[in-house]
Amino acid sequence: MITTAAIIGLGLMGGSFAKALTQRTGIRVYGEDTDPGTMAAALETGAIHATLTPQLLRQCDLTVLALYPDDAVQWMQSRRSQIKKGSVVVDFCGVKQPVCQAAEPIAREEGFFFIGGHPMAGKECWGFSYAVGDLYEGASMILTPPPEWKEQADALRPLFFSLGFGQVVDTTPENHDRMIAYTSQLAHVASSAFIKSPSSRQHVGYSAGSYKDLTRVAKLNPNMWTKLFLANGDYLCEEIDLLIEHLAQYRDAIAAGDKEKLYRLLKEGSDIKQSIG
């Protein structure tokens, strides 16, 4: 049973998770962030009950690492002896293989459990000031537990559902990174590239829903996404290459005035979208 939790990193994701815990559960929440202003705001708003200390960390049943991948691994390495034996550590990083490969051995050596995690939610803004307690309402929570720790991962499901998550999906770190390259990272690359057209400066009065949908995630945290893209470069480059190949097919059909080919390409895309929802 989880009665105490530590949230490391109180930006949008960690801050929202802290607020969800304090607003929806009776769990006592301790927080840690490198920014003094963020810590002051988290305490003032009641998102956390107290600042995390080594003594309090030793009491926490759950530790959530809402950090960049390298920072999450470094935090575990530096605080490994302070983490409560038998407790669970979950990370919120957007890539799983590099984090899980480094964190799982530490957990085994120190006698706690590490479950890779990725909440599929977010905003175009970042930082604690944008954190909200209902950010995860209806979202998918992805978990990547090693087979021997599936029981510990399953025990987390009721907690995630109580915080508003709509589903909890178990997979492997490898499959997570392969799928996220397409469903999340490629979308951010494409949006960032699309907005660079000179026409974007004159879009007012000429744009509607499709423009807004395609450009929404061009507003991003470049520091975070640079780290995530490079950490998942192989899978992401495969998806970018495939997109370039498909775009070239449309361009060639339009340039050649090939009505039949263009119709076929558009219908294929429409049919696929209708079949998958």
Side-chain angles (χ1 to χ4, degrees):
M1 181 179 179
I2 298 173
T3 60
T4 54
I7 312 296
I8 316 304
L10 295 171
L12 174 65
M13 305 302 284
S16 294
F17 198 77
K19 287 187 175 184
L21 283 175
T22 55
Q23 293 170 7
R24 301 190 183 205
T25 75
I27 295 173
R28 188 159 183 81
V29 181
Y30 306 120
E32 177 179 304
D33 196 278
T34 57
D35 179 59
T38 293
M39 286 300 302
L43 288 164
E44 182 179 352
T45 59
I48 60 174
H49 295 101
T51 300
L52 183 69
T53 64
Q55 293 74 24
L56 290 174
L57 180 58
R58 293 186 176 95
Q59 302 172 23
C60 289
D61 306 304
L62 173 67
T63 300
V64 174
L65 305 180
L67 303 169
Y68 296 158
D70 288 347
D71 294 334
V73 172
Q74 290 174 7
W75 188 94
M76 279 192 62
Q77 289 173 335
S78 64
R79 307 289 286 276
R80 56 191 292 168
S81 64
Q82 300 170 10
I83 298 172
K84 180 181 177 180
K85 308 297 182 184
S87 69
V88 176
V89 177
V90 178
D91 82 293
F92 277 10
C93 299
V95 292
K96 295 273 68 77
Q97 289 184 94
V99 177
C100 292
Q101 288 169 0
E104 288 173 8
I106 295 174
R108 291 188 178 96
E109 292 169 9
E110 297 295 339
F112 58 88
F113 304 100
F114 176 83
I115 310 295
H118 186 189
M120 298 304 296
K123 295 181 179 181
E124 298 81 58
C125 307
W126 52 93
F128 181 79
S129 60
Y130 295 100
V132 290
D134 62 354
L135 180 67
Y136 301 111
E137 195 69 39
S140 176
M141 181 66 193
I142 303 176
L143 298 177
T144 62
E148 66 269 28
W149 293 343
K150 189 176 186 307
E151 179 181 350
Q152 285 72 30
D154 289 343
L156 294 174
R157 288 173 174 267
L159 173 64
F160 290 126
F161 286 131
S162 74
L163 300 180
F165 284 92
Q167 61 180 332
V168 179
V169 177
D170 283 1
T171 188
T172 63
E174 295 79 8
N175 189 60
H176 167 278
D177 290 356
R178 180 179 64 82
M179 289 302 301
I180 290 301
Y182 171 68
T183 63
S184 177
Q185 295 177 348
L186 180 64
H188 285 78
V189 170
S191 184
S192 181
F194 178 81
I195 202 68
K196 292 178 180 178
S197 168
S199 298
S200 68
R201 278 72 171 176
Q202 290 87 40
H203 82 89
V204 176
Y206 298 89
S207 58
S210 57
Y211 176 86
K212 292 178 181 177
D213 290 344
L214 191 51
T215 59
R216 182 179 66 82
V217 294
K219 182 181 178 182
L220 47 70
N221 180 341
N223 186 36
M224 179 185 77
W225 286 102
T226 295
K227 294 175 184 291
L228 294 177
F229 290 166
L230 294 179
N232 203 30
D234 289 345
Y235 286 132
L236 181 54
C237 283
E238 288 179 10
E239 293 293 346
I240 292 173
D241 288 343
L242 191 58
L243 178 61
I244 291 172
E245 178 184 334
H246 289 154
L247 286 172
Q249 292 173 357
Y250 288 92
R251 186 216 173 275
D252 292 347
I254 294 169
D258 192 333
K259 180 180 178 180
E260 292 184 0
K261 181 178 181 182
L262 180 58
Y263 174 87
R264 186 176 71 254
L265 291 170
L266 293 170
K267 188 174 187 305
E268 286 174 354
S270 180
D271 290 346
I272 291 172
K273 175 55 180 174
Q274 291 185 57
S275 69
I276 63 178

